Amino acid sequence: MESLIETAVECLVPSWWEVKVTVAASVFVIFCYWFSSYGGGDRNAGGDRSQFGENSGKGFVFDKDEMGQFKGDSKTNSVYIIKVELLAAKNLIAASLNGTSDPYAIITCGSEKTFSSMVPGSRNPMWGEEFNFFVDELPAQINVTIYDWDIIWKSTVLGSVTVPVESEGQTSQLWYTLDSPSGQVCLHIQTIKLPINSARAIEGYAGAHARRRTSVDKQGPIVVHQKPGPLQTIFDLPADEVVEHSYSCALERSFLYQGRMYVSAWHICFHSNVFSKQMKVVIPFGDIDEIRRSQHAFINPAITIILRMGAGGHGVPPLGSPDGRVRYKFASFWNRNHALRALQRAVKNYHDRIEAEKKERAESELRAHSSSTKSTRSPETPVDSSSKIEKLQAFLKEEVLVGISNDVFPCTAEQFFNILFSDGSTFLTEFRSARKDTNLKIGQWHAADEYDGQVREITHRHVCNSPLCPPDTAMTEYQHYVLSPDKKKLVFETVQHAHDVPFGSYFEVHCWWCLETTTENSSTIDIKVGVHFKKWFVMQSKLKASAISEYKKEVGMMLEAARSYIQSHSSGCEIDKYTPPPSAIQDIQDSS
């Protein structure tokens, strides 16, 4: 019996060597956790000081590149950028049992809200962080609310203050008293007026979310025939935004909050629900300055997302850094390197897409300007052909075109244009009326320096037959034609913008007509159509097929109506009634 008891004791009670190994391992783990939370590069830029000298703040420099990146309100002819520096706070309420707090601030201006970093264990935190806000008019109000971060429970309000901004200029570093028993916050505010021209140079500063809202608001209501995904149900993002990648990971705060990361074409989102504490982070790609490898507690590979200066945090207090930029750190990936490459690739794709949209927007504005402004050049004025060729732009995106019709038409190329599409023709008016299209307005043909031949603009309310579209939509159509010198070849091109259909601002319908005279009374007609997408979105293929199918039906109706119209207007006087101006007769054989 005694030997049995001794054996049981040896099995159940650890040896002295096992105790020492366990204690050493525990000390090592505690040290790693302390170092990762408060030591090294992860420590917040904030410190613990009771006072903040008026001359100790960093210089306030306005970045001219940032000036041109916000889209202003055309009604005010200007916008304002309000740059808020959250410098420090002092004598805050002690919210924790140990007599300290873990303060962070939420800065609000209008509908924009950003988070400062959290300074652990301090009633006198130092931040030195910058936040940029954009307003259409003054006066405006800046609200700063300071909270105490809690690992599990809801954050406690330590105090708030509202600062009015009534005019341009800047304030000195001022201390503002919070609406609480104790506490002050030090702010430095500068307001700068931006000209509308520079504000429109690059849309969507203030983060990609502002730019995203602008593009969504322009196009009207979005109809997406699919169930809402996590981006809509959790983060309340637009219905057309879909998850491209998702990863299981953890957000580093006081400890690791396990959750899931979702990556779309516009945002990196993270959601966690640990101990019933909801945490949501929505990072626009436009606010990201850098994505880099990092480590959590030496052994846990992580990814750090560093935001640009002035962006502030989104949804959860970020980590601070000595240079004033805030950052979010995510760890516990199954494959950190794979996720890192995917995030870096997503950021690159975002910037490439923005550049492509800028270029496309410039081309669209050029086309609209050419169609709405008549040329004032005198026909007798000599033009250097070599310099003109350099200015010419392509009216269509030829790479998107596909053939939909190839037929013989009972008139010459010149007759086709003179009878159907000249300024004196009533064909389009009768055709649109027969289709029950309304509000038709047809501009006059005129020369454009950017394109050879002539251009004009047509607007109307277009009846839609597609199930994806409303009953009718506002339509803008830009038309362009070139007639060869021998008047035997006609190229007629159109670009259509449908304004009220889902994703109407995302695409254009391009159509190319080419007629070549074969006999005195006939010509061959070749028609191609395509959809040019200015932005990527879900359901592209479905919308493309629907647009081409509907346009193909319209072309069939138009050709049938054109044959009837030409038969009734085919007398010699009618054909020779319209003579195109010399500027419209260009040699297109070289360009084709």
Side-chain angles (χ1 to χ4, degrees), residues 202-217:
I202 302 176
E203 291 187 6
Y205 190 67
H209 57 291
R211 192 201 155 283
R212 189 79 176 98
R213 286 198 303 269
T214 300
S215 63
V216 171
D217 293 342

Side-chain angles (χ1 to χ4, degrees), residues 358-585:
K358 292 177 189 174
K359 183 178 179 180
E360 180 60 35
R361 186 162 53 248
E363 292 178 357
S364 298
E365 292 174 356
L366 177 64
R367 189 185 296 118
H369 174 75
S370 300
S371 299
S372 60
T373 305
K374 293 187 178 182
S375 176
T376 58
R377 183 193 301 131
S378 173
E380 291 79 13
T381 303
V383 179
D384 185 359
S385 60
S386 61
S387 62
K388 183 174 181 180
I389 293 175
E390 293 178 356
K391 297 180 181 179
L392 298 182
Q393 305 286 331
F395 197 78
L396 299 179
K397 297 289 184 181
E398 296 182 4
E399 61 272 16
V400 304
L401 300 177
V402 294
I404 61 171
S405 178
N406 195 321
D407 202 354
V408 176
F409 210 75
C411 70
T412 65
E414 182 185 11
Q415 293 170 352
F416 182 89
F417 177 80
N418 291 346
I419 297 176
L420 300 178
F421 296 110
S422 64
D423 285 333
S425 173
T426 61
F427 169 71
L428 282 180
T429 302
E430 296 179 11
F431 175 74
R432 293 298 172 192
S433 177
R435 283 195 81 257
K436 302 188 183 303
D437 295 336
T438 58
N439 300 341
L440 177 64
K441 295 181 181 179
I442 304 177
Q444 298 290 310
W445 289 108
H446 59 273
D449 293 335
E450 298 85 1
Y451 309 106
D452 54 349
Q454 301 256 311
V455 296
R456 72 175 177 183
E457 180 179 350
I458 297 177
T459 60
H460 65 280
R461 296 290 303 182
H462 184 80
V463 176
C464 297
N465 299 317
S466 172
L468 296 177
C469 301
D472 68 337
T473 176
M475 182 78 73
T476 300
E477 181 175 303
Y478 302 106
Q479 295 184 347
H480 168 243
Y481 86 91
V482 179
L483 190 62
S484 64
D486 59 5
K487 301 183 180 181
K488 291 185 177 182
K489 183 176 182 179
L490 170 70
V491 173
F492 181 75
E493 301 172 315
T494 65
V495 175
Q496 292 183 345
H497 296 268
H499 300 287
D500 301 327
V501 301
F503 308 103
S505 63
Y506 284 43
F507 70 95
E508 302 170 338
V509 178
H510 291 196
C511 191
W512 178 84
W513 299 49
C514 181
L515 285 90
E516 292 193 50
T517 301
T518 54
T519 66
E520 294 182 358
N521 297 314
S522 66
S523 60
T524 59
I525 180 170
D526 186 19
I527 302 177
K528 297 180 180 180
V529 67
V531 179
H532 169 57
F533 293 99
K534 298 182 286 185
K535 307 174 187 177
W536 182 92
F537 64 97
V538 69
M539 299 172 63
Q540 270 192 189
S541 58
K542 188 171 184 179
L543 191 145
K544 178 180 178 180
S546 177
I548 293 178
S549 175
E550 182 165 350
Y551 195 86
K552 187 175 181 179
K553 294 177 182 178
E554 181 172 338
V555 165
M557 296 170 55
M558 182 176 288
L559 290 178
E560 183 178 352
R563 287 187 172 91
S564 300
Y565 189 87
I566 287 177
Q567 287 178 0
S568 61
H569 297 74
S570 58
S571 63
C573 59
E574 290 287 345
I575 294 175
D576 298 332
K577 183 177 179 180
Y578 176 79
T579 302
S583 60
I585 304 175

Side-chain angles (χ1 to χ4, degrees), residues 70-342:
F70 180 75
K71 181 174 181 186
D73 186 356
S74 59
K75 297 180 181 179
T76 62
N77 293 325
S78 62
V79 293
Y80 299 87
I81 176 174
I82 302 177
K83 303 175 80 71
V84 180
E85 270 193 293
L86 175 65
L87 300 175
K90 63 182 180 181
N91 301 327
L92 297 177
I93 298 174
S96 302
L97 296 177
N98 58 2
T100 63
S101 295
D102 299 325
Y104 70 93
I106 296 180
I107 301 92
T108 306
C109 180
S111 60
E112 295 185 63
K113 180 171 69 173
T114 58
F115 288 68
S116 77
S117 60
M118 183 268 289
V119 180
S122 175
R123 294 180 58 198
N124 304 291
M126 294 276 293
W127 281 290
E129 296 173 2
E130 180 182 299
F131 308 88
N132 297 336
F133 301 96
F134 295 86
V135 296
D136 294 329
E137 58 184 1
L138 296 178
Q141 290 187 333
I142 302 295
N143 178 268
V144 179
T145 304
I146 300 179
Y147 294 84
D148 173 64
W149 174 261
D150 193 280
I151 296 178
I152 300 176
W153 309 113
K154 186 177 180 180
S155 298
T156 304
V157 178
L158 302 180
S160 66
V161 63
T162 299
V163 181
V165 179
E166 299 180 350
S167 61
E168 299 177 60
Q170 61 178 312
T171 65
S172 58
Q173 299 165 358
L174 299 178
W175 287 95
Y176 297 90
T177 302
L178 303 178
D179 59 351
S180 59
S182 175
Q184 290 181 305
V185 62
C186 185
L187 304 175
H188 178 254
I189 302 175
Q190 182 177 15
T191 306
I192 302 173
K193 184 177 181 179
L194 306 181
I196 194 63
N197 292 334
S198 64
R200 283 179 174 174
I202 302 176
E203 291 187 6
Y205 190 67
H209 57 291
R211 192 201 155 283
R212 189 79 176 98
R213 286 198 303 269
T214 300
S215 63
V216 171
D217 293 342
K218 279 185 177 181
Q219 69 180 20
I222 296 177
V223 180
V224 180
H225 301 282
Q226 63 177 11
K227 293 181 180 180
L231 298 181
Q232 289 74 41
T233 57
I234 300 175
F235 305 101
D236 196 27
L237 292 179
D240 63 325
E241 197 158 346
V242 296
V243 176
E244 297 182 356
H245 306 283
S246 65
Y247 305 98
S248 175
C249 60
L251 173 68
E252 178 183 319
R253 285 306 321 152
S254 303
F255 68 95
L256 291 179
Y257 289 85
Q258 189 67 33
R260 194 157 193 87
M261 176 185 289
Y262 304 92
V263 183
S264 73
W266 299 91
H267 299 90
I268 297 176
C269 305
F270 175 83
H271 175 251
S272 173
N273 187 4
V274 178
F275 302 133
S276 298
K277 185 179 181 68
Q278 292 272 354
M279 303 186 71
K280 302 177 184 179
V281 180
V282 180
I283 306 174
F285 281 127
D287 284 353
I288 296 177
D289 196 15
E290 184 181 358
I291 299 180
R292 61 170 63 160
R293 289 182 176 87
S294 58
Q295 296 291 128
H296 171 75
F298 296 109
I299 58 174
N300 191 357
I303 295 175
T304 298
I305 300 176
I306 303 174
L307 307 186
R308 59 173 174 79
M309 185 72 73
H314 303 280
V316 172
L319 301 172
S321 58
D323 61 3
R325 297 184 300 174
V326 297
R327 57 202 167 87
Y328 288 99
K329 178 180 282 190
F330 300 92
S332 301
F333 290 90
W334 284 104
N335 189 332
R336 189 274 307 271
N337 292 337
H338 173 75
L340 176 66
R341 288 192 296 268

